[in-house]
Amino acid sequence: MAIAAVVAVAAAITWGLRALPFAALAPLRQNALLAQLRLTMPLGIMVILTIYTMSGVDATGTNLVTYGAGIVVTAALQLWKRHVSVSILVGTAVHMALTAWLG
Amino acid sequence: MDDPTPDLGPAERAFAVAAPVGLGLFPLGLAFGALVVHAGLSWWWATVFSTVVYAGSLEFLLVGMAVSGVPLAQVALSTLLVNSRHVFYALSFPLHNVDGKLAKAYATFALTDEAYAVTTSPEAQRWTSKQVIGVQVFFQVCWVGGATLGALAGSVLPLDRLDGLDFALTALFVVLAIEAYRDRPDRLTAAVAVACSVVALAISREHVLLLAFAGFTAVQVVRARRDPIVIPS
């Protein structure tokens, strides 16, 4: 089944990424390029994923308001209180409320 | 130093560090579960994803991929890229404190961002095998429990009221981007990532992820070669 295959592939690769480096620690420590990528990749990957999650959204006025407000509220809460779950849940609630109201 | 007796002291100490994180995982699990049902999958897929894959942000991405039936190669590539950061966790996770093959296997399987953050904190440096594994099991119970309850609730509630729920994924990545920036404020990297995404969007909406990741990685490799950062060891 297709969904089971998605789960199996993702699970196997994730476990591999978490477990295999323990067997190959020494060479990883020496690699300057990897060490540098390690520092810059997290921010870049998260920015790209943020934009990717909205790649199917058309740039209509309504969407600009609902997504813009959701992002501003999420980011403001995270910068202010730094509670990951609160930022996500409140930001999503604002987006959903505006979507229900304007849509 | 190591205390193998199952006395309450060490368990309580580990729980004190882990509880706030576990309590944060639970509501996020609820949102993930609701998203699974909202995407059109049966509720128990939330349990399967959270138990078997057990990688928070990737699971959110996988739901969309599973529903739209993208090629497995894209699933594999996304997993590699999104979870590539885990490779570096081996450098400081206290696997040497975990006893037994099965426990070691689980410790690596459940080596999430949260488990890494808590087990590499100064308080956790002397944790025993039981404390490390106990915290990891506690985190996964919070996550799987939240996801399952969220999915069950989502399958009972009227789903048309949940329009916009998938924004939780966008919000998750906004939060993770802010935390990554806080960890290492680097405007150029953020700007490169935005630029690569915009160019990728202009080229093909369908392959945004692949194109943007490829472009970003290429630019970062060139930057690293030209202008090596001195890495404190």
Side-chain angles (χ1 to χ4, degrees), chain A residues 29-92:
Chain A
R29 279 207 177 101
Q30 304 303 322
N31 192 314
L33 176 64
L34 272 185
Q36 186 154 347
L37 287 180
R38 168 196 177 186
L39 293 178
T40 57
M41 290 304 266
L43 174 59
I45 287 175
M46 295 315 161
V47 168
I48 291 171
L49 286 171
T50 302
I51 297 172
Y52 165 73
T53 60
M54 296 182 287
S55 62
V57 179
D58 292 316
T60 61
T62 308
N63 284 339
L64 282 176
V65 172
T66 59
Y67 280 84
I71 288 172
V72 167
V73 169
T74 304
L77 277 173
Q78 185 61 23
L79 290 168
W80 180 37
K81 288 288 184 185
R82 222 176 165 180
H83 288 161
V84 173
S85 302
V86 174
S87 310
I88 293 172
L89 293 178
V90 176
T92 304

Side-chain angles (χ1 to χ4, degrees), chain A residues 3 10-11 13-15 18 21 29 36 40 43-45 49-50 52-53 55 58 70-71 78 82 85 92 95-96, chain B residues 24 41 54 61-62 79 81 83 87 108-109 111 164 167-168 170 173 179 182 186 189 205 216 220 224 228-229:
Chain A
I3 303 172
I13 294 175
T14 299
W15 195 4
R18 287 172 180 169
R29 279 207 177 101
Q36 186 154 347
T40 57
L43 174 59
I45 287 175
L49 286 171
T50 302
Y52 165 73
T53 60
S55 62
D58 292 316
I71 288 172
Q78 185 61 23
R82 222 176 165 180
S85 302
T92 304
H95 171 81
M96 288 173 74
Chain B
L41 299 175
Y54 192 36
L61 271 181
L62 287 178
T79 306
L81 288 164
N83 284 342
V87 164
T108 57
F109 169 78
L111 185 44
F167 183 80
T170 307
F173 290 127
E179 287 310 303
R182 229 196 277 255
D186 180 352
T189 292
R205 269 196 184 192
F216 177 76
Q220 293 311 105
I229 306 166

